[in-house]
Amino acid sequence: RVAAFAPSFDVDNIRERLAGLTETLGTPLRQIAIGREQDRLDVADVAALWEDDCTAAVALTNSATLMALAALRHLGRTVPDDVSLIGFDDYDWMAVAAPSITAIRQPVREMAQVAWDSLRKRIKGGAALNTHTMHQPELIIRESTAPASR
């Protein structure tokens, strides 16, 4: 019983993250859209979308991780005692939060190298190929995840 938090589920990279998680977990995730910067829901509205039987949440962006934490706090839920939480992108604050946040870390250096190589080819007059490269993320386990208590 896992909820997925994201600004929107209408963006390709978010849909790909959701599909990967669904495949990995073997079950669909309950989608909670928090809204984009200009039309973001407030914490109470996001908390109202939470379903009581969810024992875990995966936030698919940095802002979604922060909103998930705020919504769970608003509901009086503790991480990881009531709900396990996984964030995305492994921002520096995630390692020092209390509890520290388990994160899905993208291989940023590898991604940057692919982008740089593609740009360098275009600068040198090479064909402007529109490519889609998949990279393998890494799960960084910290304090925000635990076995389900119920």
Side-chain angles (χ1 to χ4, degrees):
R1 298 175 313 270
V2 182
F5 284 78
S8 168
F9 292 92
D10 296 330
V11 181
D12 286 345
N13 69 324
I14 297 298
R15 283 196 303 268
E16 288 173 356
R17 292 174 187 185
L18 185 64
L21 287 163
T22 300
E23 181 180 329
T24 299
L25 296 173
T27 185
L29 283 72
R30 297 183 181 163
Q31 298 176 23
I32 300 175
I34 64 171
R36 298 183 191 278
E37 293 294 331
Q38 64 275 12
D39 60 354
R40 181 166 295 147
L41 299 176
D42 68 22
V43 172
D45 290 336
V46 172
L49 298 172
W50 183 261
E51 296 188 30
D52 286 339
D53 68 339
C54 285
T55 58
V58 180
L60 302 177
T61 66
N62 182 52
S63 61
T65 305
L66 293 168
M67 182 59 84
L69 281 169
L72 291 169
R73 177 176 285 173
H74 182 84
L75 291 168
R77 301 284 184 91
T78 60
V79 174
D81 297 330
D82 298 322
V83 177
S84 287
L85 177 64
I86 299 175
F88 214 94
D89 286 334
D90 197 23
Y91 283 84
D92 291 340
W93 69 266
M94 293 177 175
V96 299
S100 58
I101 307 298
T102 295
I104 299 169
R105 180 186 293 163
Q106 296 188 81
V108 176
R109 289 179 193 259
E110 181 182 317
M111 294 163 66
Q113 187 63 52
V114 168
W116 172 244
D117 291 345
S118 178
L119 178 61
R120 190 172 35 206
K121 286 178 187 172
R122 288 188 71 187
I123 290 171
K124 292 181 178 180
L129 297 176
N130 188 5
T131 61
H132 186 91
T133 305
M134 297 292 280
H135 299 274
Q136 186 65 40
E138 177 184 7
L139 180 63
I140 308 300
I141 299 174
R142 297 195 181 105
E143 300 166 334
S144 68
T145 50
S149 60
R150 50 186 162 112

